[in-house]
Coordinates of all heavy atoms in Angstrom, one line a residue:
E1 N -110.6 10.4 -80.1 CA -111.0 11.4 -81.0 C -112.6 11.4 -80.7 O -113.2 10.4 -80.5 CB -110.7 11.3 -82.4 CG -109.3 11.2 -82.6 CD -108.9 10.2 -83.9 OE1 -109.5 9.1 -84.0 OE2 -108.1 10.7 -84.6
I2 N -113.2 12.6 -80.8 CA -114.6 12.7 -80.8 C -115.0 12.7 -82.2 O -114.5 13.4 -83.1 CB -115.0 14.0 -80.2 CG1 -114.5 14.1 -78.7 CG2 -116.5 14.2 -80.2 CD1 -114.7 15.3 -78.0
V3 N -116.1 12.0 -82.5 CA -116.6 11.9 -83.9 C -118.2 12.2 -83.8 O -118.9 11.8 -83.0 CB -116.4 10.4 -84.3 CG1 -117.0 10.2 -85.7 CG2 -115.0 10.0 -84.4
L4 N -118.6 12.8 -84.9 CA -120.0 13.1 -85.2 C -120.2 13.2 -86.6 O -119.3 13.2 -87.4 CB -120.4 14.5 -84.5 CG -119.6 15.7 -84.9 CD1 -120.4 16.7 -85.5 CD2 -118.9 16.2 -83.7
D5 N -121.5 13.1 -87.0 CA -121.8 13.3 -88.4 C -122.6 14.6 -88.5 O -123.2 15.2 -87.5 CB -122.7 12.2 -88.9 CG -124.1 12.0 -88.3 OD1 -124.4 12.7 -87.4 OD2 -124.9 11.3 -89.0
A6 N -122.6 15.2 -89.7 CA -123.2 16.5 -90.0 C -123.5 16.6 -91.4 O -123.0 16.1 -92.2 CB -122.2 17.6 -89.5
R7 N -124.4 17.5 -91.7 CA -124.8 17.8 -93.1 C -123.7 18.7 -93.6 O -123.2 19.5 -93.0 CB -126.1 18.6 -93.2 CG -127.3 17.7 -92.9 CD -128.5 18.1 -93.8 NE -129.4 16.9 -93.8 CZ -129.3 16.0 -94.7 NH1 -128.5 16.0 -95.7 NH2 -130.1 15.0 -94.7
E8 N -123.3 18.4 -94.9 CA -122.3 19.1 -95.6 C -122.5 20.6 -95.6 O -121.7 21.5 -95.5 CB -122.0 18.5 -97.0 CG -121.1 19.4 -97.8 CD -119.6 19.3 -97.4 OE1 -119.2 18.2 -97.1 OE2 -119.1 20.4 -97.3
T9 N -123.8 20.9 -95.7 CA -124.4 22.3 -95.9 C -124.6 23.0 -94.5 O -125.0 24.1 -94.5 CB -125.7 22.3 -96.7 OG1 -126.6 21.5 -96.0 CG2 -125.4 21.8 -98.1
S10 N -124.3 22.3 -93.3 CA -124.6 22.9 -92.1 C -123.5 24.0 -91.7 O -122.4 24.0 -92.3 CB -124.5 21.8 -91.0 OG -123.2 21.3 -90.9
R11 N -123.9 24.9 -90.9 CA -123.0 26.0 -90.5 C -121.9 25.5 -89.7 O -120.8 26.0 -89.8 CB -123.8 27.1 -89.7 CG -124.3 26.7 -88.3 CD -125.0 27.8 -87.7 NE -125.3 27.4 -86.3 CZ -125.7 28.3 -85.4 NH1 -125.9 29.6 -85.7 NH2 -126.0 28.0 -84.2
K12 N -122.0 24.3 -88.9 CA -120.8 23.9 -88.2 C -119.8 23.4 -89.2 O -118.6 23.5 -88.9 CB -121.4 22.7 -87.2 CG -121.6 21.5 -87.8 CD -122.1 20.5 -86.7 CE -123.5 20.4 -86.4 NZ -124.6 20.9 -87.1
V13 N -120.2 22.8 -90.3 CA -119.2 22.3 -91.3 C -118.5 23.5 -92.0 O -117.3 23.5 -92.1 CB -119.8 21.3 -92.3 CG1 -118.9 21.1 -93.5 CG2 -120.2 20.0 -91.6
A14 N -119.3 24.5 -92.3 CA -118.7 25.7 -93.0 C -117.7 26.4 -91.9 O -116.7 26.8 -92.4 CB -119.8 26.7 -93.3
N15 N -118.2 26.4 -90.7 CA -117.3 27.1 -89.6 C -116.0 26.3 -89.5 O -114.9 26.9 -89.5 CB -118.0 27.1 -88.3 CG -119.2 28.1 -88.3 OD1 -119.3 29.0 -89.2 ND2 -120.1 28.0 -87.4
L16 N -116.0 25.0 -89.3 CA -114.8 24.2 -89.1 C -113.9 24.1 -90.3 O -112.7 24.0 -90.2 CB -115.1 22.9 -88.5 CG -115.7 21.8 -89.3 CD1 -114.6 21.0 -90.0 CD2 -116.4 20.9 -88.4
R17 N -114.5 24.2 -91.5 CA -113.6 24.3 -92.6 C -112.9 25.7 -92.8 O -111.7 25.6 -93.2 CB -114.5 24.2 -94.0 CG -115.0 22.8 -94.2 CD -115.6 22.7 -95.6 NE -116.2 21.5 -95.9 CZ -115.6 20.4 -96.3 NH1 -114.3 20.3 -96.4 NH2 -116.3 19.2 -96.5
R18 N -113.4 26.6 -92.1 CA -112.7 27.9 -92.1 C -111.8 28.0 -90.9 O -110.8 28.6 -90.9 CB -113.8 29.0 -92.0 CG -113.3 30.5 -92.0 CD -114.4 31.5 -91.9 NE -115.2 31.4 -90.7 CZ -116.4 30.7 -90.7 NH1 -116.8 30.2 -91.8 NH2 -117.0 30.6 -89.6
D19 N -112.2 27.5 -89.8 CA -111.4 27.6 -88.5 C -111.7 26.2 -87.8 O -112.9 26.1 -87.2 CB -111.7 28.8 -87.7 CG -110.9 29.0 -86.5 OD1 -110.3 28.0 -86.0 OD2 -110.8 30.2 -86.1
G20 N -110.8 25.3 -87.6 CA -111.1 24.0 -87.0 C -111.1 24.1 -85.5 O -111.4 22.9 -84.9
R21 N -110.9 25.2 -84.9 CA -111.0 25.2 -83.4 C -112.4 25.0 -82.9 O -113.3 25.7 -83.4 CB -110.4 26.5 -82.8 CG -108.9 26.7 -83.1 CD -108.4 28.1 -82.7 NE -109.1 29.0 -83.4 CZ -109.2 30.4 -83.1 NH1 -108.5 30.7 -82.0 NH2 -109.7 31.2 -83.9
V22 N -112.6 24.1 -82.0 CA -113.9 23.7 -81.5 C -113.8 23.4 -80.0 O -112.8 23.2 -79.4 CB -114.6 22.5 -82.2 CG1 -114.7 22.8 -83.7 CG2 -113.7 21.2 -81.9
S23 N -115.0 23.4 -79.4 CA -115.1 23.0 -78.0 C -116.3 22.1 -77.9 O -117.2 22.2 -78.7 CB -115.2 24.2 -77.0 OG -116.4 24.9 -77.2
V24 N -116.2 21.2 -77.0 CA -117.4 20.2 -76.8 C -117.6 20.0 -75.2 O -116.6 20.0 -74.5 CB -116.9 18.8 -77.3 CG1 -118.0 17.8 -77.1 CG2 -116.5 18.9 -78.7
V25 N -118.9 20.0 -74.9 CA -119.2 19.7 -73.4 C -120.1 18.4 -73.5 O -121.0 18.4 -74.1 CB -119.9 20.9 -72.9 CG1 -120.3 20.6 -71.4 CG2 -119.0 22.1 -72.8
V26 N -119.6 17.6 -72.6 CA -120.4 16.3 -72.5 C -120.9 16.1 -71.0 O -120.1 16.4 -70.1 CB -119.6 15.1 -72.8 CG1 -120.3 13.8 -72.7 CG2 -119.1 15.3 -74.3
G27 N -122.1 15.7 -70.8 CA -122.6 15.4 -69.4 C -123.0 16.7 -68.7 O -123.3 17.7 -69.3
G28 N -123.1 16.6 -67.5 CA -123.5 17.8 -66.7 C -124.6 17.5 -65.7 O -124.8 18.0 -64.6
R29 N -125.6 16.8 -66.2 CA -126.9 16.7 -65.6 C -126.7 16.0 -64.2 O -127.4 16.3 -63.2 CB -127.8 15.8 -66.5 CG -129.2 15.8 -65.8 CD -130.1 15.1 -66.8 NE -130.0 15.8 -68.1 CZ -130.7 15.4 -69.2 NH1 -131.5 14.4 -69.2 NH2 -130.5 16.1 -70.4
D30 N -125.7 15.0 -64.1 CA -125.5 14.4 -62.8 C -124.3 14.9 -62.0 O -124.0 14.4 -60.9 CB -125.3 12.9 -63.1 CG -123.9 12.7 -63.9 OD1 -123.3 13.6 -64.3 OD2 -123.6 11.5 -64.0
G31 N -123.8 16.1 -62.4 CA -122.8 16.7 -61.6 C -121.4 16.4 -62.1 O -120.4 16.8 -61.7
V32 N -121.3 15.6 -63.3 CA -120.0 15.3 -63.8 C -120.0 15.8 -65.3 O -120.9 15.6 -66.1 CB -119.8 13.8 -63.8 CG1 -118.4 13.4 -64.4 CG2 -120.0 13.1 -62.4

């Protein structure tokens, strides 16, 4: 699982409480 911390009042928390669908992109600078 991917884990992060966030402020309860952040828009990302409000958004995921409404709709839990998310995407994440990691890396890229080195071509991977």
Side-chain angles (χ1 to χ4, degrees):
E1 302 148 317
I2 300 171
V3 179
L4 57 120
D5 70 346
R7 291 215 158 271
E8 173 69 45
T9 57
S10 68
R11 69 183 189 164
K12 75 180 91 17
V13 170
N15 289 346
L16 71 86
R17 285 191 188 279
R18 187 181 52 264
D19 187 337
R21 295 176 296 165
V22 299
S23 66
V24 181
V25 177
V26 179
R29 189 173 306 179
D30 64 351
V32 183

